[in-house]
Amino acid sequence: MKNRQNVTIKGTKDGLVLHLDDSCSYEELKKELDQKLSANTQTQDERNLISVKVEIGNRYLTEAQQEELKELIRQKKNLVVDNIEANVITKEEANRLKAETEVVTVSRIIRSGQVLEVPGDLLLIGDVNPGGTVIAGGNIFIMGTLKGVAHAGYLGNDQAVIAASSMKPSQLRISDCIERTPESVQSVEKREMECAYIDDNRQIIIDRLQALIQLRPDLTRIEGGH
Amino acid sequence: MGEAIVITSGKGGVGKTTTSANIGTALALQGKKVCLVDTDIGLRNLDVVMGLENRIIYDLVDVVEKRCKIHQALVKDKRFDGLLYLLPAAQTVDKSAVQPEQMKELITELKQDYDYIIIDCPAGIEQGYKNAIAGADKAIVVTTPEVSAVRDADRIIGLLEKEKSMESPRLVVNRIRNHMMKSGDMLDLDEVTQHLSIELIGIVADDEEVIKASNHGEPIALNPNSKASIAYRNIARRILGESIPLQPLEEANKGVFTKLKKFFGVR
């Protein structure tokens, strides 16, 4: 039963695709990969680099193992690993991904000295008082009044937005941009139903909420509908 | 089993001690057995405001360190027939002389014998504050209509809300000057309550009588003719569960004015 191959090589117009079987042992796989690639390199001329995509199916490879495979393939002269694709991820990674895309609903007042941090989007039912801070990996939506500091997309997401029913922040931060409310325009205006986003010049702009419909169509998560 | 209420504010000088003294006095006037506890160790002054300074023999630290029994340290207020007592703070040591667990134990013991324990909290959010709230069941936050006081009150409310064993704090807005509120030079009452969004249990007008009374060691709540006194008595009745509407500010203002007029008229 040695006819089943653990390593299959396919050529596409973008380069090579290495399909590695996920039912054999890792050691076995490595050996066969080494053999296969060694056999192939003899016949090929040394021309320009060929990018290689590695598909590993339902096998989970640790960082170290991935590096090892990349190293193994790289040694074969003109092959460069583009990326390694697996169907599986760890639970930890899955939870992180879920947390980053989730909308967390919080119903309370963020008072002076308090910091609320969420990995994904934040929906706050309540106010952010002066001296209070809300931080989110994604967007921030505040149903009450924002009087403190809000920091959206703190891991470097420029697309993140901040929206509030009443926008009177002491400071707005999106990704690595910071905007301080000018002292002259305060409390006089109503500042209701507004949003903040980063424009093309990397400036934080405050606009009416409806502007987001055009600017950030990705905010809509629902599929289909009319 | 009594109820322990801590009077706190975060910021200094907004009237915690005055409020403690007067709420305590007003509760005693309602016939409740009250014990005032001063936790401002090293900077005590509740005893001065109550006019009981020279009757102190033992203090809170003596009790905690078991140098005396609780009842030995309690100072009885002679104006009330065994209804009002004060446990004074120590003056010679600092806040680190007491630990929160010891305070909890002390307050639990006092709750056996008294209907209400009013705990006067020091300013700040450090050790002294932690000691003061350790044994408390409820909290009253005192603020004045100033931005800085409201900011600190907000911080304190945030900290109090984290205490699982404590009920949601209630608010006293102190030193209200109606004419300044109206002209917009002072924060509006609605602004303060909306900002802090906790239950308002009383408003006290800024009244010179309060300062006079404090200096004489007689809580203003004893004087039935003062607006501030009525405000404190109303707070006490609200603590007892009565529902009393807030004093209209207009009248409070007029009260101060007529008093001023009277004050000048007499001279």
Side-chain angles (χ1 to χ4, degrees):
Chain A
M1 287 291 279
K2 191 71 181 70
N3 52 355
R4 237 190 87 94
Q5 290 188 334
N6 290 331
V7 178
T8 41
I9 305 177
K10 262 191 261 172
T12 66
K13 64 176 194 287
D14 299 322
L16 288 179
V17 176
L18 281 182
H19 185 83
L20 309 184
D21 194 77
D22 54 28
S23 52
C24 64
S25 80
Y26 176 68
E27 288 304 321
E28 217 175 305
L29 185 77
K30 233 170 53 177
K31 223 167 92 191
E32 201 178 319
L33 184 68
D34 193 44
Q35 280 174 0
K36 272 257 163 74
L37 292 174
S38 306
N40 272 5
T41 39
Q42 316 266 284
T43 60
Q44 273 175 356
D45 300 326
E46 283 188 38
R47 271 175 292 159
N48 39 358
L49 292 171
I50 302 172
S51 80
V52 178
K53 212 163 134 191
V54 185
E55 284 174 359
I56 54 174
N58 293 335
R59 181 195 295 275
Y60 179 74
L61 291 181
T62 62
E63 291 274 323
Q65 286 175 328
Q66 287 195 16
E67 265 320 298
E68 204 178 2
L69 280 192
K70 277 185 188 170
E71 191 57 43
L72 192 71
I73 297 168
R74 222 175 270 143
Q75 279 169 2
K76 310 300 167 196
K77 290 171 188 157
N78 53 353
L79 298 183
V80 173
V81 179
D82 188 29
N83 69 330
I84 298 180
E85 251 183 48
N87 295 337
V88 288
I89 53 172
T90 56
K91 243 184 177 172
E92 202 183 320
E93 211 172 328
N95 283 335
R96 189 177 53 80
L97 275 174
K98 183 168 168 275
E100 275 174 14
T101 49
E102 210 172 29
V103 179
V104 179
T105 310
V106 178
S107 172
R108 66 174 237 233
I109 293 170
I110 309 302
R111 300 185 183 276
S112 177
Q114 294 180 329
V115 179
L116 175 67
E117 188 177 325
V118 297
D121 287 4
L122 170 67
L123 174 62
L124 179 70
I125 302 166
D127 301 336
V128 181
N129 279 353
T133 308
V134 284
I135 301 173
N139 307 299
I140 297 175
F141 310 109
I142 298 167
M143 301 284 281
T145 308
L146 171 60
K147 287 175 273 190
V149 177
H151 191 173
Y154 77 103
L155 293 170
N157 177 5
D158 287 355
Q159 291 294 302
V161 299
I162 301 168
S165 301
S166 177
M167 187 74 101
K168 294 169 184 165
S170 52
Q171 211 179 75
L172 288 176
R173 299 182 195 171
I174 299 175
S175 186
D176 51 0
C177 297
I178 298 179
E179 176 86 358
R180 188 173 52 81
T181 315
E183 259 101 52
S184 50
V185 264
Q186 265 184 358
S187 67
V188 192
E189 291 166 65
K190 267 214 162 154
R191 317 240 60 157
E192 271 171 2
M193 304 306 264
E194 288 189 315
C195 67
Y197 60 90
I198 301 185
D199 72 352
D200 300 335
N201 303 324
R202 291 196 64 76
Q203 287 280 314
I204 295 182
I205 306 291
I206 298 180
D207 205 339
R208 48 195 280 276
L209 199 59
Q210 286 75 2
L212 286 182
I213 300 168
Q214 306 293 326
L215 288 160
R216 297 284 187 272
D218 290 347
L219 282 176
T220 308
R221 298 262 177 87
I222 194 166
E223 311 227 330
H226 299 282
Chain B
M1 192 73 169
E3 195 174 274
I5 305 174
V6 62
I7 314 288
T8 181
S9 74
K11 190 176 180 293
V14 294
K16 282 180 297 297
T17 303
T18 314
T19 307
S20 303
N22 284 300
I23 289 179
T25 307
L27 282 169
L29 284 170
Q30 293 283 327
K32 296 290 166 191
K33 208 169 172 206
V34 180
C35 181
L36 297 166
V37 180
D38 189 354
T39 60
D40 203 348
I41 300 166
L43 285 168
R44 72 174 178 209
N45 42 36
L46 185 56
D47 51 313
V48 183
V49 174
M50 293 298 296
L52 301 171
E53 190 183 12
N54 40 26
R55 279 193 252 165
I56 296 173
I57 298 164
Y58 293 109
D59 56 44
L60 192 147
V61 174
D62 290 326
V63 175
V64 162
E65 291 180 355
K66 310 248 185 292
R67 280 195 288 266
C68 70
K69 293 264 182 281
I70 289 188
H71 68 88
Q72 288 178 291
L74 290 172
V75 182
K76 186 174 164 185
D77 193 325
K78 288 246 170 71
R79 289 164 291 203
F80 299 91
D81 195 21
L83 284 176
L84 187 61
Y85 288 83
L86 168 74
L87 179 58
Q91 189 71 311
T92 47
V93 284
D94 64 20
K95 312 262 183 308
S96 56
V98 179
Q99 294 300 314
E101 298 80 49
Q102 296 173 311
M103 276 303 292
K104 209 167 179 175
E105 212 174 293
L106 174 74
I107 300 296
T108 314
E109 207 175 327
L110 283 170
K111 279 203 286 193
Q112 312 288 333
D113 298 331
Y114 294 87
D115 298 324
Y116 287 94
I117 323 291
I118 306 292
I119 306 164
D120 183 21
C121 177
I125 53 172
E126 294 85 20
Q127 177 94 34
Y129 161 78
K130 285 176 189 148
N131 285 341
I133 63 160
D137 309 308
K138 294 183 175 181
I140 291 178
V141 175
V142 183
T143 187
T144 60
E146 287 166 81
V147 178
S148 53
V150 171
R151 197 64 54 89
D152 288 2
D154 193 40
R155 176 97 175 94
I156 282 286
I157 295 165
L159 293 173
L160 288 169
E161 281 174 345
K162 270 196 219 142
E163 300 294 323
K164 294 276 176 293
S165 57
M166 212 181 279
E167 285 179 34
S168 173
R170 291 184 283 184
L171 182 71
V172 168
V173 183
N174 201 7
R175 303 233 181 97
I176 295 175
R177 297 190 196 178
N178 197 39
H179 62 284
M180 281 183 83
M181 257 188 190
K182 266 186 165 168
S183 62
D185 295 327
M186 213 173 219
L187 287 178
D188 191 40
L189 190 59
D190 285 342
E191 234 172 293
V192 176
T193 49
Q194 240 174 47
H195 185 122
L196 299 175
S197 54
I198 56 170
E199 191 193 332
L200 184 67
I201 196 176
I203 52 173
V204 184
D206 194 24
D207 189 342
E208 287 178 11
E209 294 294 321
V210 175
I211 304 170
K212 272 207 280 180
S214 286
N215 288 344
H216 289 133
E218 274 193 15
I220 189 79
L222 287 172
N223 170 4
N225 299 319
S226 151
K227 272 284 166 188
S229 160
I230 291 167
Y232 284 120
R233 289 177 187 208
N234 283 344
I235 293 172
R237 288 167 68 187
R238 287 186 199 109
I239 290 174
L240 294 174
E242 286 182 49
S243 97
I244 298 157
L246 289 174
Q247 274 175 299
L249 278 172
E250 292 295 332
E251 230 179 88
N253 186 29
K254 215 191 280 169
V256 177
F257 262 72
T258 36
K259 203 153 288 132
L260 277 176
K261 265 185 220 153
K262 214 192 279 172
F263 180 74
F264 285 117
V266 169
R267 291 266 158 114

